[in-house]
Amino acid sequence: MKRFKRIFVVVIDSLGIGAMDNAAQYGDEGSDTLGHIDASVDHLLLPHLEKLGLGNLCALNHVKPVAEPMAYYGRLNEASVGKDTMTGHWEMMGLYITKPFKTFTDTGFPKELLEELEKRTGHKIVGNKSASGTEIMDELGEHQIATGDMIVYTSADSVLQICANEDTFGLQELYRCCEIARELTLKDEWKVGRVIARPYVGMKKGEFKRTANRHDYALKPFGTTALNLLKDKGLDVISVGKIFDIFDGEGLTEGNKSQSSVHGMEQTIEIAKRDFNGLCFVNLVDFDALWGHRRDPVGYGAELERFDEKLGELLPLIKDDDLLLITADHGNDPTFKGSDHTKERVPLLAYSPSYGNCKELKERNTFAVIGATVLDNFGLHKDKDMIGEPIEELL
């Protein structure tokens, strides 16, 4: 018998809460996303997260512990190798990743890959570096229009992005080239999580604008996930934000694209007003993309405050037979060296109005306890190759 009819899993993308024991293997010893943001800002007003127990979980200047937290609270460690978005989310839903997805942030893509991509597509390549999409568009857009070259670039994530003018290069041609890139990057030594088509319009610097015709070519999960099992049972599996791209649509019954993290919370609030039976899985990416990678602790703190405000609108919509799980997928300490993710523990806040006397949960050694808990709630069992055990205190 299920206890909860609706479960909401909200991922604050990159909100780590301190380095894992093996962080030194990743060059991340001493990282602490939330702690260092808290120490870097003059204020961090998170009244709703405070009531749930965030200050009981972490020693923070601006978020205090409370005597009677509204949520169970605990720390999760990542079992998989790697510290990227896909690894974190796939592990949450039961997969154990032994080979991290490739990133080319510091080096650009290897010559052999670019030569093969040029040969197969018939277009020369410019760029080949880690860059902001808007900045590289301004830098190389006029050249791209004049020559028909492709702008290829990456970021701190495991992505290969191809940027081209929608009118002069052609949208279908851009998609064709991305499909070739996806095929090439299935090789282990070039295996990125996603290839992304980045079309834009405009004819000169300062006027270029991205269009809504972005298309992600993601790897499909290599095994059965909790999402597949829920969908196969006839339950609703609703995604908000990047979740659809992260799982390439696998195991989902509904996808909702978000324009921002605030918009993602607004979509979640609207979904909470609906009647459904199953899981709503939410990713809020701005924390990572706009503030973590750009090493902006003040901007990150302000984004947390905006999240907390929307959380205040969501909480009254959570019913006695609902469960809200708030967590993260990795760290991205905006005060740390470089611009990469950081190997950190992540928080877990578990709230239902039906709970009473909420306490600290013991520290878990995998994010997969989230998917396992969701499955157990609906009377389902994980496949033999999946990892994670349900958190009994929550059910």
Side-chain angles (χ1 to χ4, degrees), residues 233-264:
K233 188 67 173 179
L235 294 160
D236 297 308
V237 189
I238 303 167
S239 73
V240 176
K242 275 176 60 175
I243 298 297
F244 190 93
D245 293 335
I246 291 167
F247 289 88
D248 199 31
E250 290 290 302
L252 299 170
T253 61
E254 176 185 331
N256 298 274
K257 289 190 175 183
S258 303
Q259 298 168 4
S260 66
S261 289
V262 169
H263 182 225

mmCIF file of all heavy atoms in Angstrom, residues 233-264:
data_model
loop_
_atom_site.group_PDB
_atom_site.id
_atom_site.type_symbol
_atom_site.label_atom_id
_atom_site.label_comp_id
_atom_site.label_asym_id
_atom_site.label_seq_id
_atom_site.Cartn_x
_atom_site.Cartn_y
_atom_site.Cartn_z
ATOM 1 N N LYS A 233 4.267 1.007 -14.456
ATOM 2 C CA LYS A 233 3.190 0.662 -13.520
ATOM 3 C C LYS A 233 1.941 1.517 -13.771
ATOM 4 O O LYS A 233 0.904 1.319 -13.136
ATOM 5 C CB LYS A 233 3.687 0.862 -12.085
ATOM 6 C CG LYS A 233 2.750 0.362 -10.997
ATOM 7 C CD LYS A 233 2.612 -1.159 -11.003
ATOM 8 C CE LYS A 233 1.798 -1.616 -9.795
ATOM 9 N NZ LYS A 233 1.619 -3.082 -9.764
ATOM 10 N N GLY A 234 2.029 2.467 -14.708
ATOM 11 C CA GLY A 234 0.886 3.316 -15.019
ATOM 12 C C GLY A 234 0.801 4.570 -14.173
ATOM 13 O O GLY A 234 -0.220 5.265 -14.194
ATOM 14 N N LEU A 235 1.882 4.888 -13.437
ATOM 15 C CA LEU A 235 1.899 6.089 -12.613
ATOM 16 C C LEU A 235 2.323 7.305 -13.429
ATOM 17 O O LEU A 235 2.988 7.177 -14.467
ATOM 18 C CB LEU A 235 2.853 5.888 -11.430
ATOM 19 C CG LEU A 235 2.403 4.823 -10.427
ATOM 20 C CD1 LEU A 235 3.568 4.343 -9.590
ATOM 21 C CD2 LEU A 235 1.300 5.379 -9.531
ATOM 22 N N ASP A 236 1.962 8.483 -12.961
ATOM 23 C CA ASP A 236 2.399 9.720 -13.596
ATOM 24 C C ASP A 236 3.863 9.973 -13.235
ATOM 25 O O ASP A 236 4.273 9.842 -12.076
ATOM 26 C CB ASP A 236 1.558 10.906 -13.108
ATOM 27 C CG ASP A 236 0.088 10.766 -13.475
ATOM 28 O OD1 ASP A 236 -0.199 10.537 -14.659
ATOM 29 O OD2 ASP A 236 -0.766 10.865 -12.565
ATOM 30 N N VAL A 237 4.646 10.344 -14.246
ATOM 31 C CA VAL A 237 6.047 10.713 -14.023
ATOM 32 C C VAL A 237 6.268 12.030 -14.768
ATOM 33 O O VAL A 237 6.491 12.055 -15.981
ATOM 34 C CB VAL A 237 7.025 9.628 -14.520
ATOM 35 C CG1 VAL A 237 8.446 9.959 -14.053
ATOM 36 C CG2 VAL A 237 6.617 8.248 -14.023
ATOM 37 N N ILE A 238 6.191 13.135 -14.028
ATOM 38 C CA ILE A 238 6.182 14.482 -14.592
ATOM 39 C C ILE A 238 7.539 15.127 -14.365
ATOM 40 O O ILE A 238 8.065 15.127 -13.247
ATOM 41 C CB ILE A 238 5.082 15.331 -13.920
ATOM 42 C CG1 ILE A 238 3.714 14.659 -14.073
ATOM 43 C CG2 ILE A 238 5.062 16.743 -14.472
ATOM 44 C CD1 ILE A 238 2.643 15.254 -13.175
ATOM 45 N N SER A 239 8.109 15.703 -15.425
ATOM 46 C CA SER A 239 9.403 16.373 -15.284
ATOM 47 C C SER A 239 9.249 17.875 -15.431
ATOM 48 O O SER A 239 8.378 18.360 -16.158
ATOM 49 C CB SER A 239 10.398 15.852 -16.313
ATOM 50 O OG SER A 239 10.104 16.331 -17.618
ATOM 51 N N VAL A 240 10.113 18.606 -14.728
ATOM 52 C CA VAL A 240 10.196 20.062 -14.831
ATOM 53 C C VAL A 240 11.663 20.431 -15.013
ATOM 54 O O VAL A 240 12.534 19.921 -14.299
ATOM 55 C CB VAL A 240 9.633 20.756 -13.572
ATOM 56 C CG1 VAL A 240 9.831 22.275 -13.659
ATOM 57 C CG2 VAL A 240 8.156 20.426 -13.382
ATOM 58 N N GLY A 241 11.941 21.328 -15.980
ATOM 59 C CA GLY A 241 13.307 21.774 -16.198
ATOM 60 C C GLY A 241 14.113 20.765 -17.002
ATOM 61 O O GLY A 241 13.612 20.134 -17.924
ATOM 62 N N LYS A 242 15.387 20.581 -16.629
ATOM 63 C CA LYS A 242 16.332 19.774 -17.405
ATOM 64 C C LYS A 242 16.114 18.280 -17.275
ATOM 65 O O LYS A 242 16.815 17.505 -17.936
ATOM 66 C CB LYS A 242 17.767 20.094 -16.957
ATOM 67 C CG LYS A 242 18.383 21.285 -17.632
ATOM 68 C CD LYS A 242 19.766 21.580 -17.068
ATOM 69 C CE LYS A 242 20.715 20.416 -17.250
ATOM 70 N NZ LYS A 242 22.093 20.753 -16.795
ATOM 71 N N ILE A 243 15.199 17.846 -16.432
ATOM 72 C CA ILE A 243 15.023 16.407 -16.197
ATOM 73 C C ILE A 243 14.782 15.663 -17.510
ATOM 74 O O ILE A 243 15.355 14.593 -17.748
ATOM 75 C CB ILE A 243 13.866 16.147 -15.215
ATOM 76 C CG1 ILE A 243 14.163 16.767 -13.840
ATOM 77 C CG2 ILE A 243 13.593 14.657 -15.095
ATOM 78 C CD1 ILE A 243 15.351 16.202 -13.129
ATOM 79 N N PHE A 244 13.936 16.222 -18.385
ATOM 80 C CA PHE A 244 13.624 15.539 -19.651
ATOM 81 C C PHE A 244 14.899 15.309 -20.449
ATOM 82 O O PHE A 244 15.126 14.217 -20.995
ATOM 83 C CB PHE A 244 12.618 16.353 -20.464
ATOM 84 C CG PHE A 244 12.060 15.610 -21.649
ATOM 85 C CD1 PHE A 244 10.873 14.904 -21.540
ATOM 86 C CD2 PHE A 244 12.731 15.594 -22.868
ATOM 87 C CE1 PHE A 244 10.368 14.195 -22.625
ATOM 88 C CE2 PHE A 244 12.232 14.899 -23.956
ATOM 89 C CZ PHE A 244 11.040 14.199 -23.833
ATOM 90 N N ASP A 245 15.774 16.329 -20.537
ATOM 91 C CA ASP A 245 17.017 16.186 -21.294
ATOM 92 C C ASP A 245 17.975 15.220 -20.608
ATOM 93 O O ASP A 245 18.642 14.419 -21.270
ATOM 94 C CB ASP A 245 17.701 17.545 -21.450
ATOM 95 C CG ASP A 245 16.904 18.507 -22.319
ATOM 96 O OD1 ASP A 245 16.123 18.035 -23.159
ATOM 97 O OD2 ASP A 245 17.072 19.728 -22.151
ATOM 98 N N ILE A 246 18.062 15.274 -19.288
ATOM 99 C CA ILE A 246 19.000 14.430 -18.545
ATOM 100 C C ILE A 246 18.696 12.950 -18.764
ATOM 101 O O ILE A 246 19.602 12.125 -18.865
ATOM 102 C CB ILE A 246 18.947 14.782 -17.048
ATOM 103 C CG1 ILE A 246 19.527 16.185 -16.812
ATOM 104 C CG2 ILE A 246 19.690 13.747 -16.203
ATOM 105 C CD1 ILE A 246 19.240 16.739 -15.427
ATOM 106 N N PHE A 247 17.412 12.609 -18.880
ATOM 107 C CA PHE A 247 17.009 11.209 -19.076
ATOM 108 C C PHE A 247 16.583 10.934 -20.518
ATOM 109 O O PHE A 247 16.088 9.842 -20.802
ATOM 110 C CB PHE A 247 15.886 10.846 -18.105
ATOM 111 C CG PHE A 247 16.337 10.748 -16.673
ATOM 112 C CD1 PHE A 247 16.339 11.865 -15.852
ATOM 113 C CD2 PHE A 247 16.790 9.549 -16.155
ATOM 114 C CE1 PHE A 247 16.774 11.789 -14.538
ATOM 115 C CE2 PHE A 247 17.231 9.457 -14.842
ATOM 116 C CZ PHE A 247 17.226 10.580 -14.033
ATOM 117 N N ASP A 248 16.767 11.903 -21.394
ATOM 118 C CA ASP A 248 16.371 11.773 -22.795
ATOM 119 C C ASP A 248 14.927 11.302 -22.930
ATOM 120 O O ASP A 248 14.579 10.525 -23.819
ATOM 121 C CB ASP A 248 17.318 10.821 -23.536
ATOM 122 C CG ASP A 248 17.241 11.012 -25.062
ATOM 123 O OD1 ASP A 248 16.971 12.146 -25.508
ATOM 124 O OD2 ASP A 248 17.428 10.017 -25.792
ATOM 125 N N GLY A 249 14.081 11.761 -22.022
ATOM 126 C CA GLY A 249 12.658 11.439 -22.073
ATOM 127 C C GLY A 249 12.295 10.056 -21.566
ATOM 128 O O GLY A 249 11.105 9.720 -21.476
ATOM 129 N N GLU A 250 13.291 9.243 -21.212
ATOM 130 C CA GLU A 250 13.029 7.860 -20.797
ATOM 131 C C GLU A 250 12.291 7.831 -19.453
ATOM 132 O O GLU A 250 12.715 8.457 -18.481
ATOM 133 C CB GLU A 250 14.342 7.084 -20.681
ATOM 134 C CG GLU A 250 15.013 6.813 -22.010
ATOM 135 C CD GLU A 250 14.250 5.802 -22.837
ATOM 136 O OE1 GLU A 250 14.036 4.677 -22.368
ATOM 137 O OE2 GLU A 250 13.865 6.145 -23.970
ATOM 138 N N GLY A 251 11.201 7.091 -19.389
ATOM 139 C CA GLY A 251 10.475 6.899 -18.156
ATOM 140 C C GLY A 251 9.573 8.048 -17.764
ATOM 141 O O GLY A 251 9.047 8.053 -16.651
ATOM 142 N N LEU A 252 9.376 9.004 -18.641
ATOM 143 C CA LEU A 252 8.577 10.186 -18.315
ATOM 144 C C LEU A 252 7.249 10.161 -19.059
ATOM 145 O O LEU A 252 7.168 9.725 -20.208
ATOM 146 C CB LEU A 252 9.347 11.461 -18.669
ATOM 147 C CG LEU A 252 10.667 11.655 -17.913
ATOM 148 C CD1 LEU A 252 11.475 12.798 -18.498
ATOM 149 C CD2 LEU A 252 10.395 11.893 -16.425
ATOM 150 N N THR A 253 6.207 10.649 -18.407
ATOM 151 C CA THR A 253 4.893 10.745 -19.036
ATOM 152 C C THR A 253 4.544 12.178 -19.430
ATOM 153 O O THR A 253 3.621 12.398 -20.194
ATOM 154 C CB THR A 253 3.799 10.211 -18.094
ATOM 155 O OG1 THR A 253 3.775 10.993 -16.887
ATOM 156 C CG2 THR A 253 4.053 8.755 -17.741
ATOM 157 N N GLU A 254 5.290 13.150 -18.887
ATOM 158 C CA GLU A 254 5.032 14.562 -19.196
ATOM 159 C C GLU A 254 6.306 15.365 -18.972
ATOM 160 O O GLU A 254 7.007 15.143 -17.975
ATOM 161 C CB GLU A 254 3.911 15.105 -18.298
ATOM 162 C CG GLU A 254 3.638 16.600 -18.472
ATOM 163 C CD GLU A 254 2.597 17.122 -17.475
ATOM 164 O OE1 GLU A 254 1.727 16.336 -17.058
ATOM 165 O OE2 GLU A 254 2.686 18.311 -17.095
ATOM 166 N N GLY A 255 6.619 16.277 -19.896
ATOM 167 C CA GLY A 255 7.794 17.129 -19.750
ATOM 168 C C GLY A 255 7.417 18.599 -19.774
ATOM 169 O O GLY A 255 6.572 19.013 -20.571
ATOM 170 N N ASN A 256 8.045 19.390 -18.913
ATOM 171 C CA ASN A 256 7.815 20.831 -18.854
ATOM 172 C C ASN A 256 9.156 21.541 -18.886
ATOM 173 O O ASN A 256 9.953 21.422 -17.956
ATOM 174 C CB ASN A 256 7.070 21.203 -17.568
ATOM 175 C CG ASN A 256 5.693 20.571 -17.476
ATOM 176 O OD1 ASN A 256 4.722 21.100 -17.983
ATOM 177 N ND2 ASN A 256 5.619 19.407 -16.828
ATOM 178 N N LYS A 257 9.429 22.292 -19.950
ATOM 179 C CA LYS A 257 10.671 23.051 -20.052
ATOM 180 C C LYS A 257 10.546 24.337 -19.246
ATOM 181 O O LYS A 257 9.498 24.980 -19.246
ATOM 182 C CB LYS A 257 10.992 23.379 -21.509
ATOM 183 C CG LYS A 257 11.430 22.178 -22.324
ATOM 184 C CD LYS A 257 11.960 22.610 -23.687
ATOM 185 C CE LYS A 257 12.521 21.424 -24.462
ATOM 186 N NZ LYS A 257 13.109 21.842 -25.757
ATOM 187 N N SER A 258 11.630 24.718 -18.601
ATOM 188 C CA SER A 258 11.629 25.920 -17.757
ATOM 189 C C SER A 258 12.520 26.990 -18.371
ATOM 190 O O SER A 258 13.583 26.686 -18.917
ATOM 191 C CB SER A 258 12.132 25.594 -16.355
ATOM 192 O OG SER A 258 11.371 24.576 -15.755
ATOM 193 N N GLN A 259 12.114 28.228 -18.229
ATOM 194 C CA GLN A 259 12.909 29.355 -18.706
ATOM 195 C C GLN A 259 13.918 29.815 -17.666
ATOM 196 O O GLN A 259 14.887 30.498 -17.988
ATOM 197 C CB GLN A 259 11.980 30.519 -19.074
ATOM 198 C CG GLN A 259 11.007 30.184 -20.193
ATOM 199 C CD GLN A 259 9.920 31.226 -20.352
ATOM 200 O OE1 GLN A 259 9.913 32.249 -19.675
ATOM 201 N NE2 GLN A 259 8.978 30.959 -21.246
ATOM 202 N N SER A 260 13.707 29.453 -16.409
ATOM 203 C CA SER A 260 14.590 29.830 -15.312
ATOM 204 C C SER A 260 14.236 28.965 -14.114
ATOM 205 O O SER A 260 13.238 28.232 -14.126
ATOM 206 C CB SER A 260 14.401 31.309 -14.959
ATOM 207 O OG SER A 260 13.096 31.524 -14.422
ATOM 208 N N SER A 261 15.026 29.075 -13.062
ATOM 209 C CA SER A 261 14.710 28.320 -11.849
ATOM 210 C C SER A 261 13.439 28.835 -11.188
ATOM 211 O O SER A 261 12.644 28.054 -10.652
ATOM 212 C CB SER A 261 15.882 28.389 -10.865
ATOM 213 O OG SER A 261 16.968 27.617 -11.349
ATOM 214 N N VAL A 262 13.234 30.144 -11.213
ATOM 215 C CA VAL A 262 11.994 30.702 -10.680
ATOM 216 C C VAL A 262 10.802 30.169 -11.470
ATOM 217 O O VAL A 262 9.783 29.757 -10.901
ATOM 218 C CB VAL A 262 12.031 32.242 -10.696
ATOM 219 C CG1 VAL A 262 10.644 32.821 -10.405
ATOM 220 C CG2 VAL A 262 13.038 32.761 -9.674
ATOM 221 N N HIS A 263 10.925 30.153 -12.802
ATOM 222 C CA HIS A 263 9.856 29.612 -13.641
ATOM 223 C C HIS A 263 9.626 28.134 -13.327
ATOM 224 O O HIS A 263 8.478 27.670 -13.265
ATOM 225 C CB HIS A 263 10.203 29.791 -15.119
ATOM 226 C CG HIS A 263 9.151 29.323 -16.056
ATOM 227 N ND1 HIS A 263 9.420 28.559 -17.174
ATOM 228 C CD2 HIS A 263 7.794 29.489 -16.049
ATOM 229 C CE1 HIS A 263 8.294 28.285 -17.802
ATOM 230 N NE2 HIS A 263 7.297 28.831 -17.151
ATOM 231 N N GLY A 264 10.707 27.389 -13.096
ATOM 232 C CA GLY A 264 10.558 25.980 -12.743
ATOM 233 C C GLY A 264 9.778 25.793 -11.461
ATOM 234 O O GLY A 264 8.947 24.885 -11.351
#
